[in-house]
Amino acid sequence: MLWTIIGILLLVWIIGFLFEIAGGIIHILLVIALVVFIAKMIRS
C-alpha cells in the first residue's frame, strides 16, 4: 500500500514538473510521503 502511494506521488510530481501544474502542493506531498516512508523503515 505504501509503495503504491509513493509511486503515484512520484508520477504526479514528474507530471507536475513537465506541465508546471500545482507547484508547491506536489512538493509538500512528496516530502510528507518521504517522511512516512523513512519512519516506516526505521520502525521495521
Side-chain angles (χ1 to χ4, degrees), residues 7-40:
I8 290 171
L9 280 176
L10 284 172
L11 182 64
V12 171
W13 186 52
I14 291 169
I15 291 172
F17 267 135
L18 294 176
F19 298 106
E20 298 182 8
I21 329 173
I25 297 171
I26 300 300
H27 297 293
I28 292 169
L29 287 174
L30 189 63
V31 168
I32 291 171
L34 184 62
V35 168
V36 169
F37 173 72
I38 291 172
K40 184 162 180 107

